[in-house]
Amino acid sequence: MAKKRNRKRRPARAETPVSAYTDTEGNRLVLRQALSPGTVAKIREEMANQAANVDDIWQRRTELLFERLVVSWEIAGLGLDDQAMLLGRYRMADSETKRWVRETIAGHVDRFIPELD
């Protein structure tokens, strides 16, 4: 008979609190209220890259924050929670929707994750 290995189990991760934001059309964006110290460091590191121009850095930071913070996004009654689908939907959004998402995330970061400012 094969012996069972004693595997170390990871402690269960605590659920991260979330906040929901609704736009004027009733679309709902749900964002994490916290990021791990490693994620914060990665976002800061990306922003310190001197090889990129200001527009590239701004675009990359926007997408990094979107990827890390968005838990789900309900648009016209269709709920999305898959990370690839969420990012794809953000990239396809019209300029007004992108502006609303950016402003919502910026306000959220100011309130819950001030170490990113």
Side-chain angles (χ1 to χ4, degrees), residues 49-104:
N49 182 358
Q50 298 298 319
N53 67 35
V54 174
D55 289 336
D56 291 340
I57 291 170
W58 177 80
Q59 183 69 33
R60 182 65 185 139
R61 183 177 196 273
T62 300
E63 287 193 0
L64 271 172
L65 287 172
F66 184 90
E67 287 178 301
R68 299 303 196 266
L69 290 174
V70 177
V71 174
S72 66
W73 192 7
E74 184 178 319
I75 305 164
L78 175 64
L80 298 171
D81 60 6
D82 176 73
Q83 287 299 309
M85 296 290 283
L86 286 165
L87 187 57
R89 178 59 181 95
Y90 174 73
R91 288 177 175 164
M92 292 182 349
D94 60 51
S95 60
E96 186 63 27
T97 301
K98 283 185 177 181
R99 184 191 57 75
W100 178 78
V101 170
R102 284 192 312 268
E103 288 175 358
T104 301

